[in-house]
């Protein structure tokens, strides 16, 4: 406030101003500001609602959810008092008239429990004869006694809400007369959390479902009654995003040994190994839901490891029932993007002792760096209508799908949601994210930015402004232009129909041209699905018949499992990729997948492969002479079986990317062809088997294991033999050999392995200087035992075989092996491996070692 004084005499004016200045200086000099953070001295957990008072006054405040506070006073004060239930009160001296920033650590108060005095402290902690450890062992022993899934039937309603928002969002202040900005309307959508923090919700998802459980045979099914979502993540697939979020913010079950969360594995405070992993403290006795409970505090021995800090409130009786849980992550944990987190769960004990969960609530602040405001995320689950009687109809358990969606689930109006939405999920600001997105899309800058990002994310260009009406899309955009050593510059254009065209009939294809070989290539697909598709023809579960005709280059000894072979981002290679032929291929495929993890199918294939100057077909005659062959033909029948129970993946239009590899994946295939049948040049039989699985070694990371074996049973030329997958790029790709040349080895039987150990920083987190970088160790060891039997060795039994191209070799008794040591989580996005080749080091033109990289974002 500005006050202007006017006096007739200049001297009086100056004198009065001088007096006012002195008074203002004196008042300002006495103003005292204290701010800071209050944490648990043992666990490092930030303590909310702690009382902070200036000593001798009633002037005070309470800490927010992050344990932060700020308090000021104008009178001379020399100390503050900090108090919290279950903690020793603390008095801290301060200097009057100054601004003081404090990091306050409250120690749990000594309490008497069953005549045992517990004085928790880091330095004197011991498991031997520790009452807290004895107490928690009893909790662990009783954790399964009250499990509701011990009942024959169990059902409940589950309401779920997920919110993602810009954290600490504030409207931009404008000077008087300044022009209104494009996004000034955002102020109308700001919401406020209970702790007073302002957020701008940018994604919101709600779902209501009923869960049905049967103990024998063990079955769980979900019926989704209502579902809605809106937000900036609409550029991704709806079900794909839901799958990812279900794994990232997985329902927490503290009664299991491991807790999956943020795509990691945390050791539960009630794990069987809990007493060897955690410190436990009996802190206080409090009342929870009318029951006297022990406040059982816990923290991992190593604060950088994947454990939790927090409190369990356990009843003081023989049942050792957990009434409530408050869980956080240690401050120093090597967990990306999660600045802070709080999990709150409440339970209820029924008269027969059965435990039911009432609420599972996760709040998290997600940040790229601690200096950014980042994002606020919340996943709230509220459970109601628990029952232990059989469902009205046993047909619910006969559904093959683990989750069934009601026909009108996505058409529920706001009146419906207001009626079923729990009080904990109601926002202060009634404006919805749907309205926000509509306003944002009315701004051309946002509209076109979203379109461009969508193209890069999905890889296709819509041909209609409205996504739901786009019947044909052009792409993939990453294949429009790419160079290689055979075609020169390759230009490609293609596209696919969408479910707006037909939910069952799909057309897909491309044409391509190379400036160096001056040849046209093409691929055309017609696929009919036996059930309606929501977005993509390849979405799970597949049950279709497909016809495909193609003519293209065939890069021998190179396979592309998770991307296109002409992906422009793979153009830079460590050596020329000239080992290629031309292949004309026609296929008719039937394939079917089931919700129980089984997939199977058959392919009738007719192909004609053409030699090139880079991969000649020099057929060895009976007299030992060489006769060049332009091509050969095969008609084959292939059978495929795949078993992947509980597989979780993110689905795009053309590929499935595994979110986790916790479920085992078994594959089996057999190809058969007979000489002279439908133009086949050879009799051909090949069998392949594989198994893939992730093994968690909480708290010491996890190991991914991939084992494969295969055999060609007949005498055939080298294009039909086993050519190990050589990775010629500088990127890290699974199921490939980093330092092997294309077609360096040719076999007709093999057994291979790939072991990758992700330590999650178990070593580096213990090094004082390096742990701040939050790097994580990766070790890999892969190899292949290969053999070429005499019948397929041109040097021994060459009649009718093709001479091996120059640079191809036989494997001896030793396997081909590679080992690598790497660091991931560099700048949170980069993984770097140095790979050593361990065998066949005398082969010419090889690379014995090299640095490889990949972009990988993980928590």
């Amino acid at each position: 406030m500005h006050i202007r004084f006017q006096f007739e005499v200049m001297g009086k004016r100056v004198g009065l101003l001088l007096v006012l200045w002195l008074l203002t200086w004196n008042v300002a000099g006495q103003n005292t500001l204290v701010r800071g953070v209050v944490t648990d001295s043992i666990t490092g957990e930030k303590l909310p609602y702690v009382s902070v008072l200036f000593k001798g006054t009633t002037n005070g405040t309470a800490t927010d959810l992050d344990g932060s506070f700020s308090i000021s006073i104008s009178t001379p004060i020399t100390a503050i008092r900090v108090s919290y239930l279950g903690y020793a009160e603390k008095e801290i001296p301060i200097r009057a008239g100054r601004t003081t920033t404090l990091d306050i650590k409250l120690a749990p108060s000594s309490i008497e429990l069953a005549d045992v005095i517990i004085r928790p402290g880091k330095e004197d902690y011991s498991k031997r004869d520790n009452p807290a450890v004895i107490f928690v062992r009893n909790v662990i022993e009783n954790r399964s006694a009250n499990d509701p899934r011990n009942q024959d039937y169990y059902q409940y309603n589950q309401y779920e809400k997920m919110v993602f928002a810009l954290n600490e969002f504030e409207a931009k202040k404008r000077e008087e007369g300044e022009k209104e900005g494009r996004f000034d309307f955002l102020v109308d959508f700001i919401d406020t959390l209970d702790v007073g923090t302002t957020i701008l919700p940018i994604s919101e998802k709600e779902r209501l479902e009923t869960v049905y459980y049967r103990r024998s045979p063990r079955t769980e099914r979900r019926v989704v009654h209502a579902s809605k979502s809106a937000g900036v993540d609409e550029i991704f697939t709806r079900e794909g995003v839901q799958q990812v979020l279900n794994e990232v913010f997985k329902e927490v079950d503290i009664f299991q040994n491991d807790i999956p969360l943020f795509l990691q594995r945390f050791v539960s405070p009630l794990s069987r190994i809990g007493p060897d992993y955690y410190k436990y403290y009996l802190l206080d006795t409090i009342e929870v839901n009318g029951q006297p409970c022990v406040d059982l505090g816990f923290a991992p021995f190593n604060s950088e490891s994947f454990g939790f800090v927090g409190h369990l409130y356990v009843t003081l009786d023989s049942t050792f029932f957990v009434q409530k849980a408050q869980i956080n992550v240690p401050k120093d944990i090597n967990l990306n993007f999660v600045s802070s987190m709080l999990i709150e769960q409440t339970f209820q004990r029924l008269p027969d002792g059965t435990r039911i969960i009432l609420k599972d609530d996760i709040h998290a602040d997600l940040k790229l760096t601690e200096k950014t405001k980042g994002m606020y995320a919340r996943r709230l689950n509220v459970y109601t209508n628990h029952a232990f009687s059989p469902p009205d109809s046993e047909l619910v358990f006969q559904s093959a799908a683990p989750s069934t969606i009601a026909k009108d689930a996505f058409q529920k109006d706001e009146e419906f949601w207001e009626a079923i939405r729990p009080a904990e999920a109601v926002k202060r600001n009634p404006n919805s994210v749907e309205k926000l997105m509509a306003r944002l899309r009315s701004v051309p800058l946002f509209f076109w930015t979203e379109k461009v990002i969508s193209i890069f994310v999905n890889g296709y260009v819509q041909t209609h402004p409205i996504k739901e009406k786009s019947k044909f899309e052009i792409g993939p955009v990453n294949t429009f232009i790419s160079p290689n050593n055979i075609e020169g510059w390759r230009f490609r254009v293609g596209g696919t129909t969408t479910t707006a065209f037909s939910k069952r009939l799909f057309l897909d294809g491309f044409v391509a041209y190379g400036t160096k070989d001056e040849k046209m290539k093409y691929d055309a697909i017609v696929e009919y699905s036996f059930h309606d598709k929501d977005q993509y023809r390849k979405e799970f579960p597949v049950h279709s018949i497909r016809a495909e005709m193609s003519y293209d280059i065939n890069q021998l000894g190179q396979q592309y499992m998770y991307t296109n072979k002409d992906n422009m981002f793979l153009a830079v290679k460590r050596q020329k990729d000239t080992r290629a032929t031309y292949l004309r291929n026609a296929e008719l495929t039937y394939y079917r997948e089931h919700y129980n993890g089984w997939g199977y199918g058959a392919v009738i294939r007719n192909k004609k492969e053409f030699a090139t100057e880079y991969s000649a077909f020099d057929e060895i005659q009976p007299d030992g002479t060489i006769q060049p062959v332009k091509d050969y033909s095969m008609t084959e029948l292939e059978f495929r079986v795949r078993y992947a129970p509980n597989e979780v993946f993110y689905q795009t239009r053309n590929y499935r990317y595994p979110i986790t590899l916790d479920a085992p994946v078994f594959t089996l295939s057999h190809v058969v062809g007979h000489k002279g049948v439908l133009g086949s040049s050879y009799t051909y039989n090949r069998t392949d088997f594989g198994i893939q699985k992730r093994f968690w070694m909480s708290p010491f990371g996890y190991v991914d294991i991939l084992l494969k074996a295969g055999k060609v049973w007949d005498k055939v030329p080298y294009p039909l033999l086993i050519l190990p997958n050589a990775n010629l790029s500088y990127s890290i790709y699974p199921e490939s050999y980093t330092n092997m040349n294309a077609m360096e080895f040719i076999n007709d039987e093999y057994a291979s392995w790939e072991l990758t150990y992700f330590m999650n920083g178990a070593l580096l987190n213990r090094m004082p200087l390096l742990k701040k970088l939050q790097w994580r160790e990766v070790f890999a060891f892969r190899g292949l035992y290969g053999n070429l039997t005499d019948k397929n060795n041109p040097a021994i039994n060459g009649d009718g075989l093709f001479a091996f191209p120059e640079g191809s070799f036989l494997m001896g008794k030793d396997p081909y092996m590679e080992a690598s040591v790497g660091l991931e989580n560099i700048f949170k996005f980069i993984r770097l491996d140095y790979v050593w080749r361990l065998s066949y080091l005398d082969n010419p033109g090889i690379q014995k070692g090299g640095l490889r990289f990949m972009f990988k974002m993980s928590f």
Side-chain angles (χ1 to χ4, degrees), residues 48-206:
Y49 315 120
V50 176
S51 173
V52 182
L53 288 172
F54 282 111
K55 183 181 179 182
T57 75
T58 58
N59 191 340
T61 188
T63 59
D64 61 20
L65 193 65
D66 293 326
S68 301
F69 72 92
S70 180
I71 187 173
S72 63
I73 196 170
S74 58
T75 56
I77 291 295
T78 59
I80 61 169
R81 289 185 182 275
V82 184
S83 59
Y84 193 48
L85 179 65
Y87 291 81
E89 185 177 284
K90 199 166 190 176
E91 184 175 302
I92 303 172
I94 58 173
R95 296 185 65 179
R98 299 288 181 89
T99 296
T100 306
T101 301
L102 301 173
D103 183 5
I104 304 171
K105 301 181 184 301
L106 290 187
S109 55
S110 298
I111 64 169
E112 188 168 325
L113 182 67
D115 299 323
V116 179
I117 302 297
I118 309 300
R119 293 185 173 88
K122 286 186 177 181
E123 297 79 6
D124 300 326
Y125 186 87
S126 173
K127 292 189 297 181
R128 180 185 292 273
D129 298 326
N130 187 331
V133 175
I134 296 172
F135 186 83
V136 80
R137 288 190 190 279
N138 282 308
V139 179
I140 294 170
E141 287 301 316
N142 285 273
R143 66 181 185 175
S144 60
N146 46 28
D147 189 339
R149 283 171 170 74
N150 292 335
Q151 304 278 355
D152 290 334
Y153 293 93
Y154 178 39
Q155 69 181 60
Y156 56 88
N157 289 343
Q158 178 177 336
Y159 167 87
E160 179 185 75
K161 183 173 184 178
M162 289 189 184
V163 176
F164 293 88
L166 299 180
N167 213 355
E168 301 177 40
F169 188 86
E170 297 178 357
K172 183 180 180 181
K173 296 180 179 180
R174 298 196 173 278
E175 300 295 333
E176 186 176 346
E178 187 177 353
K179 185 180 178 181
E180 183 178 350
R182 297 189 187 100
F183 299 102
D184 282 357
F185 62 84
L186 293 178
V187 69
D188 298 331
F189 296 88
I190 294 176
D191 202 4
T192 307
L193 303 178
D194 291 337
V195 295
T197 302
T198 56
I199 62 172
L200 179 67
I202 58 173
S203 176
E204 194 171 78
K205 306 178 190 304
E206 288 183 282

Side-chain angles (χ1 to χ4, degrees), residues 62 81 108 143 150 170 174 223 304 354 399 410 476 516 650 780:
R81 289 185 182 275
R143 66 181 185 175
N150 292 335
E170 297 178 357
R174 298 196 173 278
V223 177
E304 291 88 4
T354 300
S399 170
F410 297 103
K516 184 176 180 181
Y650 176 76

Side-chain angles (χ1 to χ4, degrees), residues 181-186 436-450:
R182 297 189 187 100
F183 299 102
D184 282 357
F185 62 84
L186 293 178
L436 171 65
M437 296 307 299
R439 291 287 303 273
L440 284 171
R441 286 167 181 152
S442 68
V443 179
L445 176 61
F446 180 88
F447 177 84
W448 290 110
T449 300
E450 185 183 36

Side-chain angles (χ1 to χ4, degrees), residues 269-331:
L270 296 181
S271 169
R272 295 291 180 188
I273 68 167
D276 298 318
Y277 188 80
Y278 284 98
K279 299 179 181 181
Y280 297 95
Y281 305 94
L282 299 174
L283 301 178
D284 206 347
T285 54
I286 62 175
E287 200 170 274
V288 179
N289 297 329
Q291 292 283 330
C293 295
V294 174
D295 180 358
L296 179 67
F298 55 89
F301 283 97
N302 178 12
S303 62
E304 291 88 4
S305 60
F306 281 82
F308 295 107
V309 297
H311 302 262
L312 298 176
Y313 300 92
V314 185
T315 56
L316 275 170
D317 57 25
S318 60
T319 64
F320 296 95
F321 186 87
V322 178
Q323 289 275 1
K324 185 178 179 180
Q326 290 181 322
I327 302 173
N328 207 331
V329 290
K331 182 180 179 181

Side-chain angles (χ1 to χ4, degrees), residues 54 64 99 123 137 203 212 256 319 361 385 393 431 494 520 526 591 604 684 687 727 777 833:
F54 282 111
D64 61 20
T99 296
E123 297 79 6
R137 288 190 190 279
S203 176
Y212 298 92
Q256 298 297 317
T319 64
D361 196 2
N385 298 335
S393 173
N431 283 335
M520 293 292 299
V526 178
Y591 195 73
I604 299 175
Y684 183 60
T687 307
N727 178 10
E777 318 85 344
D833 283 11

Side-chain angles (χ1 to χ4, degrees), residues 455-503:
I455 290 171
F456 281 100
V457 169
N458 297 312
Y460 285 79
V461 182
Q462 296 173 199
T463 55
H464 193 284
I466 301 174
K467 183 178 181 179
E468 290 73 19
K469 295 183 179 180
S470 183
K471 296 182 178 181
F472 182 82
E473 296 184 355
I474 302 169
V477 295
N478 64 351
T479 63
F480 285 169
I481 304 175
S482 61
N484 62 69
N485 295 103
I486 293 178
E487 297 177 280
W489 284 99
R490 175 183 170 103
F491 295 90
R492 167 176 158 169
V493 61
T496 181
T497 61
T498 70
T499 51
F501 171 79
S502 173
K503 290 185 176 295

